[in-house]
Amino acid sequence: MNNITIHYTFLPHTDPEAALGFYRDLLGFEVRQDVGYEDMRWITVGPPGQPETSIVLQPPAVDPGITEEERRVIHSLIAKGSFAGMTLAVDDLDAFYQQLEAAGADVVQEPIDQDYGVRDCAFRDPSGNLLRISQR
């Protein structure tokens, strides 16, 4: 059997500078690549010390096969936090939550002990993507 890992995952961004401010400056991720083409940017970030795992922050709905109506719907879903999401884990959830809240991050849920055995909280990134953060 193969030893399979997650190498890249993709999240849409609607503002590359706001995405950098959130993922690099607030969450502390390393910027691994920042690639532009015309007026679009793909920014690859990841946690320090974990070079095998990255998040590609990509411009949404750039596929030429997508209609304008589909682009509108995708942007609407992103803004509502219904299009994409991710769960992160930290060693001290309460301290991390306080850090993000103090920095003005968009709080969706304060830290809570879930019925299914996880302690977590939730935020939206500047594009609206839902980020759940679990206690490791």
Side-chain angles (χ1 to χ4, degrees):
M1 178 167 258
N2 286 328
N3 178 17
I4 190 166
T5 61
I6 296 171
H7 189 57
Y8 292 106
T9 189
F10 293 80
L11 284 178
H13 74 74
T14 56
D15 179 336
E17 292 305 319
L20 277 172
F22 185 82
Y23 288 93
R24 178 193 60 205
D25 302 336
L26 190 54
L27 295 184
F29 285 172
E30 299 172 331
V31 176
R32 303 203 172 131
Q33 287 188 339
D34 189 338
V35 178
Y37 175 74
E38 296 180 356
D39 62 347
M40 299 172 285
R41 279 171 73 188
W42 287 258
I43 304 165
T44 304
V45 297
Q50 297 180 44
E52 69 284 350
T53 304
S54 296
I55 302 162
V56 179
L57 305 168
Q58 66 179 359
V62 295
D63 184 325
I66 295 175
T67 67
E68 284 307 313
E69 175 61 17
E70 290 167 332
R71 278 188 183 81
R72 188 192 63 71
V73 169
I74 289 168
H75 280 275
S76 170
L77 291 171
I78 291 168
K80 289 171 52 175
S82 302
F83 188 76
M86 178 174 50
T87 300
L88 305 172
V90 295
D91 291 328
D92 187 341
L93 179 66
D94 293 302
F96 196 71
Y97 171 84
Q98 290 171 359
Q99 173 189 334
L100 293 179
E101 183 185 39
D106 183 7
V107 175
V108 174
Q109 174 205 300
E110 295 180 359
I112 186 173
D113 293 318
Q114 302 287 0
D115 293 341
Y116 46 89
V118 172
R119 180 167 176 76
D120 70 357
C121 64
F123 291 87
R124 290 194 201 287
D125 75 4
S127 296
N129 297 307
L130 182 65
L131 299 179
R132 299 201 69 80
I133 304 169
S134 297
Q135 175 72 46
R136 188 173 289 117

